[in-house]
Amino acid sequence: MDTVVTDPVVGLLLEGRYRLEERLARGGMSTVYAATDLRLHRTVAVKVMAEHLAHDPAFVDRFTREARATAMLSHPNVVSVSDQGADQGLVYLVMELVRGRTLRDLLQARGRLTVGETFAVLEPVLSGLTAAHRAGIVHRDIKPENVLISTDGQVKVADFGLARAVAGTGQTSHTGGVLIGTVAYLSPEQLERGRSDARSDVYAAGVMLYELLTGHPPYAGDTPLAVAYQHVHHDVPAPSAEVPDLPWQVDELVARTTRRDPAARPLDAGAFLAELTDLRSDLGIGRMPVPTGRPVESPGTLRPTSRPSAPRPRDASVPGRSTAPRPETLGGRSRGTTVLPGTDSGPTGQVRGAGPRPPAVRPGVPPHIRRRRARFALTLVLLLAVTIGAIGWWLGSGRWTTVPELVGADEQTAIGRLQEAGLDPAFGEEQFSETVPEGVVLSADPGEGELIRGSDVTLVVSKGVERFTVDTALAGRPLEEVQAALGELPVQLDNATEYSDDVPSGSVIRFDPAAGTQLKRGDVVTLVVSQGRAPVEVPNVVGQEPDAAQDTLEQLGFTVQRDEGRSADVPTGAVMAVAPAPGGAQPYGSAVTITVSVGLPQVTVPDVVGMSEDEATAALQAAGLAAESTQFISGNRVFQQSPKAGELVDLGTTVKILISFG
């Protein structure tokens, strides 16, 4: 596939080692790039998880699981994984680069394969699966899309993203009720119970065998549910119903590997591979190169003859009728002895009349089939005996098992103990605990006693300590907004007030305990709310110049207003009074009035005309004025005064009085 120039990932350098050079393929969950390993100077394939899934722990776990599962394998028919990591927001796997195509591409190009070509493709697939099963790994997603065919014809199994490592090929893995895999290849036990083991991979490989021979899977439907129903309730049909010239032995192999009962299938991929190898030998099919996309040959060229409906006995009443099997052409080679027209030969190739004929082998049933059936019959008898014994054991004490000690064990250990005891783990809602670490079993139901094997035991796993934190960004916000934001936390809120020069009144200054502190459920969090700036004491600026006094007050945060007044004690032009009075505390920003002296106080001149000199002097002095008397001729009464009575004059002004006869 050509590189998309606009792909922003192309050209990135991951972990300073893998430079992404070319996009090879893109799917719903990941994209595969060709990359250069700058450390080892080699070309590799890098699978990058889709960006929208990189934050999903389940998909990241699948990527990690694929790396670990495949890293356990070292086999020429398994795509190797060499590294795994995350960088620049990308989660990735580093894999062996296989230049070529998938088996799905080959089927789309060819339609279907011949028997020899099918065996040539399926044998390396089963060989790679055999290595996985012997390592205790079940692939769980065998399908043509996950089989790669290189340009030189090498077949490799890829995408172990759904694989599970289990205790052995006889051990099952449980998916928690979630179907994983492609429904067209899922076994009945996966669809019904979510369980899978090596025999589930055998079923999928058997379905793929059918598809390689016919060009399509055995079941189709409008919905995945319809396809799943057919897997569970119907046997896979014989491929010869679609391709009439297929050998009946191939039909039997498809039937054995796709039995709905897992116990009736080959034990694992190794057993399947052994049967496939035996069948190829029985049919006389030589090893063929893996097809890489050449046009399909005519059906009669590489396929054996069709399966007979029943063994055909020799008919002695018909002259010249041969008892030897009809010749079969397999891969261009004739199997057995060719019978020429007009002659009759026995099993050893003798011509009629050449001598006595040895006893003929029973027609229609080759010796290797009879041996296989005998082995099957013996196996069936042994299996029946074992089954009867197992049923007796089961009806007695065998079906009961003891619930193991689970509380205090970590989750994976508890699951292992349950599986060893023949019980199925189920999970309740996780709970917080102040004493039990995260991932450790808090409780089990039932927690002790005996249960029937296969029963569910519900595990409640600890989530660890429950802690909450107050967001530091809430400091400085209005109280109502902070209370609304903290209303979802299971803590108690309390308020306190404090003056602040920096935080506006009504907003939260800080939290006690401080924001970011780990809090338990029910802890008290005190919101310290600002009352604004602290009150300021009014200074004494009396006697100062007005401008200097105003500057002092404004620096303290007061708003200054000016007024004028008269004072006998303060010089003109100086501050004579401050209101509010100095020494008292006033709110920050409040108004302070300073009164500036414009001179001495003024008084009204009293009327002293007609008074005696002494009386007039006393009256003027009482009004704050001075008296200066002048004697006119002689007399004892004020005859005239200046300033006149009723005039306003400065305090201390001298009033001249004229004394004359009264």
Side-chain angles (χ1 to χ4, degrees):
M1 179 178 292
D2 294 335
T3 302
V4 178
V5 177
T6 57
D7 191 332
V9 177
V10 173
L12 285 183
L13 185 62
L14 299 179
E15 300 288 355
R17 177 175 180 179
Y18 305 106
R19 186 175 60 233
L20 304 183
E21 307 284 2
E22 173 190 5
R23 190 172 76 185
L24 301 177
R26 186 175 187 177
M29 294 187 292
S30 61
T31 304
V32 179
Y33 297 88
T36 300
D37 183 346
L38 301 180
R39 186 178 300 172
L40 300 179
H41 302 287
R42 63 176 181 175
T43 303
V44 295
V46 176
K47 179 191 287 189
V48 178
M49 180 184 292
E51 182 178 0
H52 67 283
L53 300 175
H55 303 291
D56 188 332
F59 283 93
V60 174
D61 178 66
R62 172 179 173 174
F63 253 53
T64 305
R65 190 165 63 245
E66 177 173 359
R68 291 175 179 173
T70 314
M72 295 173 62
L73 303 176
S74 177
H75 194 275
N77 298 120
V78 175
V79 175
S80 62
V81 172
S82 58
D83 198 1
Q84 178 269 335
D87 186 27
Q88 304 178 54
L90 303 178
V91 180
Y92 66 90
L93 299 179
V94 180
M95 307 179 297
E96 169 190 4
L97 179 62
V98 180
R99 294 284 188 180
R101 58 182 3 185
T102 67
L103 182 55
R104 172 66 65 205
D105 297 331
L106 179 63
L107 281 175
Q108 289 175 347
R110 297 285 301 274
R112 60 183 175 85
L113 304 182
T114 66
V115 175
E117 292 170 333
T118 297
F119 286 11
V121 170
L122 198 57
E123 281 183 338
V125 171
L126 294 175
S127 180
L129 278 180
T130 299
H133 291 171
R134 289 176 179 173
I137 298 173
V138 180
H139 189 288
R140 302 199 303 170
D141 198 21
I142 294 297
K143 57 185 177 182
E145 287 82 353
N146 288 338
V147 176
L148 305 181
I149 302 176
S150 66
T151 53
D152 59 358
Q154 189 174 20
V155 178
K156 290 180 177 286
V157 180
D159 198 355
F160 276 74
L162 299 183
R164 291 281 191 188
V166 295
T169 55
Q171 189 77 12
T172 62
S173 65
H174 201 289
T175 65
V178 180
L179 291 180
I180 49 179
T182 306
V183 70
Y185 305 90
L186 288 180
S187 62
E189 64 270 17
Q190 288 175 281
L191 295 166
E192 286 185 304
R193 301 183 295 277
R195 297 176 180 273
S196 59
D197 58 17
R199 295 169 297 184
S200 304
D201 284 351
V202 169
Y203 182 93
V207 172
M208 197 165 68
L209 170 60
Y210 178 97
E211 183 174 3
L212 294 177
L213 294 169
T214 63
H216 59 81
Y219 302 126
D222 295 333
T223 64
L225 185 59
V227 176
Y229 180 88
Q230 296 178 77
H231 277 287
V232 173
H233 296 282
H234 298 285
D235 292 327
V236 173
S240 62
E242 297 262 348
V243 185
D245 58 343
L246 288 179
W248 60 269
Q249 297 96 324
V250 174
D251 284 348
E252 284 193 348
L253 181 61
V254 171
R256 284 197 303 277
T257 56
T258 58
R259 298 289 188 199
R260 284 182 285 166
D261 181 6
R265 299 178 209 144
L267 182 62
D268 57 14
F272 189 172
L273 178 60
E275 291 199 26
L276 187 70
T277 303
D278 288 345
L279 179 56
R280 182 171 57 78
S281 177
D282 292 342
L283 296 178
I285 301 176
R287 293 191 178 274
M288 299 179 58
V290 176
T292 57
R294 300 186 303 275
V296 67
E297 302 183 38
S298 60
T301 304
L302 295 175
R303 297 184 183 274
T305 56
S306 61
R307 172 185 178 184
S309 58
R312 299 181 180 180
R314 179 173 179 267
D315 188 355
S317 63
V318 181
R321 178 70 58 88
S322 171
T323 62
R326 185 161 57 95
E328 300 176 354
T329 304
L330 301 172
R333 297 180 181 179
S334 175
R335 178 192 177 204
T337 304
T338 303
V339 182
L340 299 176
T343 65
D344 192 4
S345 64
T348 59
Q350 294 175 318
V351 180
R352 187 193 321 230
R357 181 177 303 168
V361 177
R362 186 172 62 174
V365 183
H368 70 280
I369 297 298
R370 293 201 307 277
R371 291 193 300 271
R372 184 176 297 169
R373 290 180 178 176
R375 291 195 300 268
F376 178 75
L378 178 59
T379 302
L380 187 61
V381 171
L382 294 176
L383 181 61
L384 182 60
V386 172
T387 301
I388 293 173
I391 292 174
W393 172 78
W394 178 262
L395 294 178
S397 62
R399 62 175 174 167
W400 294 96
T401 185
T402 302
V403 179
E405 181 66 31
L406 301 172
V407 175
D410 65 82
E411 181 180 354
Q412 294 303 318
T413 300
I415 293 173
R417 291 177 182 176
L418 286 173
Q419 290 179 341
E420 289 176 0
L423 299 171
D424 291 337
F427 295 92
E429 184 176 357
E430 294 184 347
Q431 298 179 5
F432 291 103
S433 173
E434 292 294 325
T435 57
V436 179
E438 181 180 3
V440 174
V441 176
L442 274 172
S443 63
D445 183 25
E448 59 182 11
E450 291 190 340
L451 288 177
I452 295 177
R453 293 180 184 274
S455 299
D456 287 346
V457 175
T458 302
L459 303 177
V460 176
V461 180
S462 171
K463 296 168 67 175
V465 295
E466 183 183 30
R467 293 293 183 267
F468 309 93
T469 58
V470 175
D471 189 355
T472 56
L474 293 176
R477 303 277 185 88
L479 175 63
E480 294 78 9
E481 182 179 341
V482 173
Q483 289 175 329
L486 298 181
E488 299 179 357
L489 296 182
V491 296
Q492 300 180 37
L493 301 181
D494 193 10
N495 294 343
T497 57
E498 189 176 286
Y499 292 110
S500 173
D501 293 341
D502 304 316
V503 179
S505 177
S507 295
V508 175
I509 301 173
R510 66 179 184 278
F511 302 92
D512 186 18
T517 302
Q518 298 287 318
L519 303 172
K520 299 179 182 179
R521 181 179 293 271
D523 280 356
V524 177
V525 177
T526 301
L527 313 181
V528 181
V529 183
S530 173
Q531 292 181 284
R533 290 178 178 268
V536 182
E537 183 178 336
V538 179
N540 187 4
V541 293
V542 174
Q544 296 182 9
E545 291 292 329
D547 290 343
Q550 180 172 348
D551 185 60
T552 299
L553 291 170
E554 286 179 344
Q555 287 182 7
L556 294 174
F558 292 112
T559 300
V560 179
Q561 298 176 352
R562 290 194 185 190
D563 198 1
E564 293 180 345
R566 293 177 177 272
S567 173
D569 302 320
V570 178
T572 300
V575 175
M576 57 176 285
V578 179
Q586 297 297 324
Y588 183 87
S590 59
V592 174
T593 301
I594 58 174
T595 302
V596 181
S597 175
V598 293
L600 295 171
Q602 291 187 323
V603 296
T604 302
V605 178
D607 186 3
V608 295
V609 175
M611 294 182 181
S612 66
E613 180 180 4
D614 293 338
E615 292 174 340
T617 300
L620 290 173
Q621 289 177 347
L625 300 173
E628 180 182 344
S629 62
T630 302
Q631 194 76 27
F632 181 71
I633 307 178
S634 65
N636 57 3
R637 298 285 178 184
V638 175
F639 171 73
Q640 186 179 356
Q641 66 180 54
S642 179
K644 296 180 179 181
E647 290 185 14
L648 288 174
V649 296
D650 290 341
L651 184 69
T653 300
T654 300
V655 178
K656 295 179 180 182
I657 57 175
L658 182 62
I659 307 298
S660 67
F661 292 100

